[in-house]
Amino acid sequence: MLNRVILIGRLTRDPELRYTANGVAVTTFTLAVDRNYVNQQGERGTDFIRVTTWRKLAETCANHLGKGRLIAVEGRLQTRSYETQDGQKRTATDVVADDVRFLDWPKDGQAKKDSGFSDIGAEVDLPEEDLPF
């Protein structure tokens, strides 16, 4: 069986970094990905896809990415179920990324939060054990 996704798009807002109760970093962000075709009005559709990163990759994304940055994401699809406040059951599909590549430079030439980061790509291998889901 195979569950792999590769996407290229732009962040719709800055990544949100938080930590689990066990201190594991997790970052979420939404990627705007244009469709390959145009509609009858000549406009391209866009899909907005939620992406989750873990551990060192999560911290790297939070520290070096921001709204509008062009990135490539490689990972797997994961479906989750939840219940809304009014009791309705919902399902959501996210991409859990294990590789994020920075495809452009920050507009001001500096990495986010003045981190001194100068590499254009970020790749982190995540072990499959100890994932909190």
Side-chain angles (χ1 to χ4, degrees):
M1 293 184 216
L2 181 64
N3 180 356
R4 297 303 296 166
V5 173
I6 299 173
L7 301 169
I8 295 177
R10 293 193 180 275
L11 274 72
T12 62
R13 63 178 185 264
D14 291 348
E16 298 175 19
L17 175 65
R18 61 189 189 285
Y19 292 87
T20 67
N22 294 332
V24 178
V26 58
T27 300
T28 56
F29 53 88
T30 301
L31 199 62
V33 180
D34 289 337
R35 295 181 183 163
N36 289 338
Y37 58 88
V38 294
N39 62 18
Q40 292 177 338
Q41 292 77 29
E43 300 168 343
R44 286 194 185 277
T46 302
D47 293 303
F48 298 92
I49 301 166
R50 182 179 149 118
V51 178
T52 303
T53 59
W54 292 92
R55 296 182 174 74
K56 180 66 176 163
L57 182 58
E59 292 174 337
T60 299
C61 288
N63 290 328
H64 305 297
L65 291 177
K67 179 180 178 179
R69 292 289 305 274
L70 181 67
I71 64 171
V73 171
E74 184 176 356
R76 62 183 170 80
L77 287 178
Q78 179 174 296
T79 303
R80 58 189 169 85
S81 298
Y82 64 96
E83 192 171 310
T84 63
Q85 290 181 346
D86 60 357
Q88 295 184 14
K89 292 186 180 186
R90 302 286 171 118
T91 303
T93 302
D94 303 336
V95 173
V96 178
D98 52 26
D99 186 20
V100 173
R101 300 288 174 130
F102 303 167
L103 300 179
D104 66 0
W105 292 102
K107 290 181 180 159
D108 62 2
Q110 295 293 320
K112 184 179 169 192
K113 299 180 185 170
D114 197 29
S115 62
F117 185 72
S118 61
D119 191 3
I120 196 165
E123 181 176 332
V124 177
D125 292 325
L126 296 176
E128 287 296 321
E129 69 274 358
D130 297 335
L131 291 178
F133 50 87

